Amino acid sequence: MDFKADAQRMEKIVSLCKRRGFIFQSSEIYGGLSGCWDYGPLGVELKRNLKNYWWHVIVHERDDVVGMDGSILMNRAVWKASGHEDTFTDPMVDCRSCKARLRTDQVIEKKGARQCPNCGGKDLTEPRPFNLMFKTYVGATEDESSLTYLRPETAQAIFVQFKNILEVSRKKLPFGIAQIGKAFRNEINPRNFTFRSREFEQMELEYFCRAGEGMRLLDYWLWERLKFYENIGISREKLHARKVPDEERAFYSKGTYDIEYDFPFGRQELEGVAYRTDYDLSQHQNASGKSLEYFDEETKQRFVPHVVEPSAGVDRTVLALICEAYSEDEAPDEKGKMETRLVLRFHPRMAPIKCGVFPLLKNNAQLVAKAKEIIDLLRPQMNVFYDEGGAIGRRYRRQDEIGTPFGATVDFETLGENDATLRDTVTLRERDSMKQERVAIEDLAGILMSRIR
């Protein structure tokens, strides 16, 4: 691995994200807030495309999964029962030399001595527990009775609402409950751009089953999730399914896989797929005194279901999509001179903008009017962008840089000035190959939709 080249690549990606409106530092004009990020006009479209596709694949395409949207604030008793209040901690160490605050697993060891990874100093504090949950208060008083937390994960809302959803959905085992939502963790050391943040979004599925089905479904969901990442344009060669060893797994898990991706800053986890047994439902049943059992009409038995959980990070996946798409190649400019072309090669279904529409000349009323007609034709079916500024080659480059897969140019052939048979056709350009073809305006929407899906 070329660490210098990868670091430079990551710097270019971060710069592009700000320059083209994908991701900004939160509160930037006030110096920012570490571990928090804002998504700009293109970033929010990319993020929404990812979430919408996940929801379509996980919920809409299946008969055995329903959705929910739980609240961020929950009764403190939820976090006591789940174990988060007592055990959701990272051991923390301070370096007295450079004042860095580190997780214990970030400390390096050389010749039997602990050292700070930042300055190499050896004057470190002893590890101490640090709870990752953000505290807040509900109501008019700020005391122990009104204390709760911003949720550190979305899963607990699903477990708490399991019985209600079971009754209204009338599903039989195995079935799942899906949710997309924000979560908050007071990370000791946020890093690697948006990869490790204090405010982030999760796409989680809790798939409930009988005890004997757990290990089979664990493997099933691992391969379903790997297939999902390939279908959004992430190379299978950069995806890795790591079987988490026994000593690293949560005590209640019978099996866990980490789906990892080769980021420029190293191989890191995108998603966890875990067989959590009946731990979560049992904890809430015991703590609340309310039955969370499932009644099997065939066997006439009551039991607490087991669960397999595929849990993906939205922000991490967005970052992986950008890293995977980032590319530089050579292309001719208007004069035929080769120049470096920066391209985001998003899969069309993920691309923030699907098609750019360009009148060849902005001062020709007929070309502009026809281009606006095409915008109106396409807009109900996809996100499009109108651009009339500058040379057509420059406009292509701008769209390449933000990952727009197609461009439709309205020229004099569209008006039938040189060849009547080409009237009401446009030049359709493909981003990756830069190949161009002539297509009828009336066929344009259908052609684009077939290539986007």
Side-chain angles (χ1 to χ4, degrees), residues 16 19-20 42 327-344 358 385 387 389-404 406-407 409 429-436:
L16 172 66
R19 186 175 74 253
R20 297 313 304 265
L42 292 175
S327 175
E328 295 179 15
D329 62 16
E330 296 290 318
D333 62 14
E334 291 84 359
K335 298 179 180 179
K337 182 180 178 181
M338 298 302 289
E339 63 179 1
T340 299
R341 180 177 75 130
L342 198 163
V343 191
L344 287 181
F358 321 110
F385 185 83
D387 189 358
I392 192 67
R394 292 293 98 193
R395 285 182 267 173
Y396 287 157
R397 293 291 182 274
R398 287 197 291 264
Q399 293 303 306
D400 292 343
E401 193 171 87
I402 63 175
T404 304
F406 304 103
T409 302
R429 175 186 181 269
E430 198 270 336
R431 176 197 64 208
D432 294 340
S433 66
M434 294 184 284
K435 289 181 179 179
Q436 300 183 8

Side-chain angles (χ1 to χ4, degrees), residues 19 38 53 110 124 158 160 163 191 210 213 219 223 272 276 298 306 313 332 334 385 389 405 415 446 449:
R19 186 175 74 253
D38 295 337
Y53 185 66
K110 288 186 178 180
L124 305 175
I158 296 177
V160 171
K163 201 60 178 281
R191 65 189 188 279
R210 295 171 177 83
E213 300 173 312
D219 290 334
W223 293 110
R276 299 172 66 110
E298 294 181 6
H306 285 220
E334 291 84 359
F385 185 83
L415 304 179
M449 290 302 294

